[in-house]
Amino acid sequence: MHCIKKITDDLTWIGVNDRRLAMFEGVYHVPRGVAYNSYLLRDEKTVLFDTVDKAVRQRFLENLSEALGGRQLDYIVVQHMEPDHSASILELLSMYPGMKLVCNEKTYAFIKQFHDYDDDSRVIIVREGDTLETGRHTLRFIMAPMVHWPEVMVTYDATDKVLFSADAFGCFGALNGALFADEVDFEKEYMDEARRYYANIVGKYGAQAGALLDKTASLEISYLCPLHGFVWRRNIGDFIAKYALWSSYSPEENGVLIAYASVYGNTENTAEILAYKLRDKGIRSVMYDVSVSPASDIVSEAFRWSHIVLASTTYNAGVFVTMESVVNDLVSHNIQNRTVAIIENGSWAATSGELIREKLEDCRNINILDSAISLKSSLKPSQLAEVDMLADAIAATFPARAAPIVVAPEMIDPKTMFKLSYGLFVLTTKDGEKDNGCITNTAIQISEKPRRISLAVNKANFSCEMLMKTGVFNVSILAENAPFSVFERFGFHSGRDTDKFSGIEGSHRTDNGVRYLPEFANAVISGRVVETSDNGSHILFVADVTQAMVISNERSVTYQYYFDHIKPKPKPQAEKKAGYVCKICGYVHEGDTLPDDFICPLCKHGASDFEKITA
Ligand code: FEO
């Protein structure tokens, strides 16, 4: 019996779950199974995106037949020729005599290698940027070589904003009734499996995965459809941000992965003592026995943590066999940008430390600490100082962390913050059909390569919620000719209950589909979020710049200029009420006190932006 699920009106998931597979690709354990995703687009033409593994072929054919609803299959787009996605191609060619096979040249070469097939008349070869019109939908093909295999390509459906991403954005684990990532607690339940999938399947090809992120950065994506794991329709920016970290070999977290190989427990004992000493210094660690934990778990953890300690006994005059295999795996997966410490053990001729060091020296930007420990059979009290020294050496490579302190209120004059110079901007976002915008003063460039900006947005703002969800935005840089009405429009109401663009003629959008201000702004910057951090009242967004345009030569407005020349001066009041006035928008909070956590209901600025009304 078929088991399928609609994604959009025209697109249906027809993939199949496999919970019987023990080892994916014969090497990666999949205790929670795996999903082989395939998608059917029903337009004036019908288009199938990839197939599934032969182990689940029967259910797939039932799914396809149900989704087609009696129609013929016009095209199969082969994005990836690995057999877990291409097992049924020949069968489909004979089942649907009118079907054309859409692929690139490399894919076609692989089809001929894997199968006995050479009928060119049924093959449409596509190249970078080629499109296929299927009726209402236009499919654009984007090459993604080595985002696992050399023939890989992804497909963008510009009509429904769907990115069929092949192996990118995949995840181990069968889908247990939930197709969409937002139907589960992905961070808690699946992020480890997504990282393990990335690190082990695509990890070696970080540069190529990064190139694919760059190529797709300006696309508006409403659905992300990978070949394994969940379909993404919300918080897509968060998952793309993880890929930006993983593909650049940047650690996700500060902390230490301790991996050890210990025949009689003495190397393990030393590693464990080190872990406790690190924790005393406030440094987190995770520990794995490489003879027990699958190598794919350890490779995945190496992609997660900033530091790695490898502790191994010597065996057959070399590195203990399971540790040797893990080190080889780390090197072959191109691990980079890590600090590494080594502990070796050997009852008569310890060699494991030096051999591990030699292997890791082939990796880029690996800082191998000089401080190391060499054990003879077991750790002796006289060597405890060496463990302390190693803990100190590791701690010295962590960013200095100040202990949290309580600051007396009189130590901070809130007016000090107004001495910082700020620009003023309209931050615009889009979620589905909803356009929104708000005033912000927090956009700054933070790096040139890659070109990135940061923005801090108040959590109470609707824009913050939209940005967390979509990860895509524009910053229109306001100019000195901007009238007060622009600030009123975007700053004094919430987009939750108003249309910020109501009455504005035209609909100017950048390539990411988000609106911008063609008037009263001198430039616009489009961004895609790669990282977020929670800073109390505000979320800090770090974003790649995906487009930037100068609109006019007007001078940029500063916060000071706004107060001096744009914001209307308060009118003399016949009778002053007791209360506090918002210096940003003029809202008056009546009363003798103003709570510290008060947020202006109009412009969402905090209590520090209010001043007491004096008689
Ligand atoms: Fe399941 Fe590279 O594919």
Side-chain angles (χ1 to χ4, degrees):
M1 179 67 182
H2 63 267
C3 178
I4 62 179
K5 190 155 176 171
K6 277 257 183 203
I7 296 173
T8 66
D9 286 347
D10 293 344
L11 186 66
T12 305
W13 173 80
I14 59 168
V16 187
N17 293 297
D18 183 353
R19 298 181 188 82
R20 285 195 161 186
L21 183 70
M23 300 299 267
F24 182 80
E25 293 185 0
V27 62
Y28 304 116
H29 69 124
V30 279
R32 298 162 70 185
V34 67
Y36 301 107
N37 293 337
S38 171
Y39 305 93
L40 182 75
L41 180 70
R42 282 169 51 109
D43 196 357
E44 287 168 26
K45 299 287 186 186
T46 55
V47 187
L48 176 68
F49 294 90
D50 300 295
T51 70
V52 298
D53 190 81
K54 64 177 184 296
V56 291
R57 163 197 157 276
Q58 190 54 43
R59 184 76 63 242
F60 164 72
L61 292 177
E62 287 170 343
N63 287 351
L64 175 61
S65 163
E66 173 66 18
L68 280 169
R71 292 179 62 182
Q72 285 297 304
L73 183 56
D74 296 308
Y75 298 109
I76 175 172
V77 175
V78 184
Q79 303 189 112
H80 186 14
M81 253 313 284
E82 197 166 6
D84 56 333
H85 307 293
S86 63
S88 305
I89 291 178
L90 287 204
E91 198 169 1
L92 294 177
L93 281 163
S94 59
M95 283 172 70
Y96 299 101
M99 183 189 90
K100 288 269 174 21
L101 211 150
V102 180
C103 64
N104 59 45
E105 274 171 10
K106 188 80 194 164
T107 308
Y108 192 32
F110 278 181
I111 289 173
K112 290 175 176 175
Q113 281 176 219
F114 277 98
H115 305 288
D116 190 13
Y117 182 82
D118 62 359
D119 180 0
D120 296 355
S121 68
R122 295 186 65 182
V123 178
I124 299 173
I125 297 291
V126 294
R127 295 184 181 80
E128 181 76 40
D130 283 356
T131 56
L132 177 69
E133 305 285 340
T134 62
R136 295 180 299 282
H137 296 257
T138 303
L139 305 175
R140 178 147 66 91
F141 303 105
I142 301 166
M143 301 303 129
M146 297 320 297
V147 182
H148 198 200
W149 279 22
E151 87 297 359
V152 171
M153 66 180 191
V154 303
T155 310
Y156 182 62
D157 173 359
T159 308
D160 280 345
K161 318 242 178 294
V162 181
L163 182 66
F164 298 94
S165 61
D167 271 354
F169 306 108
C171 182
F172 287 134
L175 306 176
N176 303 318
L179 173 62
F180 299 103
D182 56 89
E183 295 179 297
V184 296
D185 186 341
F186 190 86
E187 177 71 36
K188 204 164 139 194
E189 297 171 28
Y190 287 94
M191 190 58 87
D192 287 348
E193 284 296 74
R195 184 187 304 103
R196 190 165 72 87
Y197 177 86
Y198 174 84
N200 288 280
I201 305 296
V202 189
K204 181 178 181 62
Y205 306 109
Q208 291 84 348
L212 177 61
L213 292 184
D214 289 345
K215 277 190 190 179
T216 54
S218 61
L219 299 178
E220 188 186 350
I221 300 170
S222 301
Y223 298 92
L224 197 52
C225 295
L227 287 175
H228 297 289
F230 294 92
V231 170
W232 288 75
R233 62 181 173 183
R234 301 202 213 305
N235 304 325
I236 292 173
D238 288 357
F239 198 38
I240 290 175
K242 285 285 182 194
Y243 259 66
L245 275 183
W246 295 335
S247 63
S248 61
Y249 302 95
S250 304
E252 277 175 84
E253 298 190 55
N254 280 325
V256 186
L257 158 66
I258 301 176
Y260 63 87
S262 184
V263 179
Y264 295 108
N266 292 310
T267 311
E268 176 189 35
N269 170 245
T270 308
E272 201 139 33
I273 292 169
L274 176 68
Y276 282 93
K277 289 186 182 296
L278 288 171
R279 190 63 66 144
D280 286 345
K281 295 174 184 298
I283 295 171
R284 290 180 297 162
S285 62
V286 291
M287 296 191 69
Y288 289 89
D289 183 329
V290 297
S291 301
V292 176
S293 300
S296 67
D297 288 358
I298 296 164
V299 169
S300 176
E301 288 289 63
F303 271 70
R304 178 179 188 173
W305 297 99
S306 58
H307 290 60
I308 302 170
V309 172
L310 299 171
S312 179
T313 191
T314 301
Y315 201 73
N316 289 335
V319 181
F320 188 76
V321 55
T322 48
M323 176 60 83
E324 185 173 35
S325 157
V326 162
V327 174
N328 286 342
D329 248 0
L330 291 174
V331 173
S332 65
H333 284 88
N334 244 339
I335 193 71
Q336 299 172 24
N337 306 329
R338 298 295 189 275
T339 297
V340 175
I342 297 170
I343 299 172
E344 68 174 2
N345 198 349
S347 292
W348 58 96
T351 59
S352 55
E354 193 48 38
L355 292 170
I356 291 173
R357 177 183 288 270
E358 278 171 16
K359 280 183 193 288
L360 290 177
E361 277 168 358
D362 291 342
C363 300
R364 286 180 59 190
N365 199 20
I366 294 285
N367 171 29
I368 304 176
L369 297 179
D370 290 335
S371 191
I373 297 174
S374 186
L375 301 169
K376 258 197 186 326
S377 305
S378 65
L379 184 73
K380 297 289 179 300
S382 58
Q383 258 187 309
L384 267 178
E386 289 180 36
V387 184
D388 280 320
M389 278 168 57
L390 184 56
D392 286 344
I394 293 170
T397 62
F398 274 77
R401 283 161 299 135
I405 52 169
V406 179
V407 180
E410 63 274 17
M411 294 297 290
I412 293 178
D413 178 351
K415 292 194 198 76
T416 315
M417 300 301 166
F418 292 108
K419 300 296 181 194
L420 289 168
S421 66
Y422 296 103
L424 282 166
F425 319 97
V426 175
L427 164 66
T428 44
T429 45
K430 178 175 187 292
D431 181 16
E433 295 306 304
K434 175 76 176 170
D435 291 308
N436 192 32
C438 71
I439 298 283
T440 179
N441 61 348
T442 59
I444 51 168
Q445 180 175 356
I446 55 167
S447 68
E448 192 177 348
K449 283 186 182 171
R451 201 177 295 281
R452 283 189 173 161
I453 62 172
S454 70
L455 287 170
V457 187
N458 194 308
K459 285 179 188 169
N461 280 356
F462 187 42
S463 295
C464 187
E465 193 179 314
M466 288 179 70
L467 200 43
M468 286 297 280
K469 183 172 168 193
T470 65
V472 177
F473 65 88
N474 284 339
V475 167
S476 297
I477 303 173
L478 289 171
E480 289 183 352
N481 64 351
F484 185 61
S485 58
V486 170
F487 297 86
E488 280 183 304
R489 171 186 286 274
F490 290 104
F492 297 178
H493 311 278
S494 170
R496 280 195 181 83
D497 39 42
T498 52
D499 173 4
K500 297 283 187 90
F501 288 89
S502 161
I504 293 184
E505 280 185 18
S507 174
H508 293 79
R509 296 178 190 275
T510 47
D511 286 0
N512 61 8
V514 179
R515 292 186 73 151
Y516 69 96
L517 266 61
E519 206 182 1
F520 309 129
N522 58 19
V524 59
I525 296 172
S526 302
R528 163 171 277 182
V529 175
V530 294
E531 206 177 316
T532 59
S533 67
D534 189 329
N535 292 274
S537 61
H538 287 62
I539 299 286
L540 181 70
F541 295 91
V542 172
D544 279 337
V545 173
T546 57
Q547 194 177 355
M549 297 187 296
V550 171
I551 299 170
S552 80
N553 290 324
E554 287 286 335
R555 286 156 57 100
S556 300
V557 73
T558 62
Y559 211 52
Q560 191 64 49
Y561 186 92
Y562 166 77
F563 279 106
D564 293 346
H565 303 286
I566 299 177
K567 182 172 177 275
K569 301 284 176 281
K571 296 189 179 72
Q573 288 180 302
E575 180 199 338
K576 287 206 169 173
K577 295 174 182 165
Y580 292 79
V581 62
C582 175
K583 290 182 288 185
I584 310 299
C585 69
Y587 173 82
V588 173
H589 171 78
E590 292 182 28
D592 293 331
T593 57
L594 183 74
D596 288 345
D597 58 355
F598 190 81
I599 301 282
C600 176
L602 288 185
C603 67
K604 304 292 182 283
H605 280 242
S608 64
D609 288 324
F610 278 70
E611 65 186 7
K612 195 165 177 37
I613 300 171
T614 50

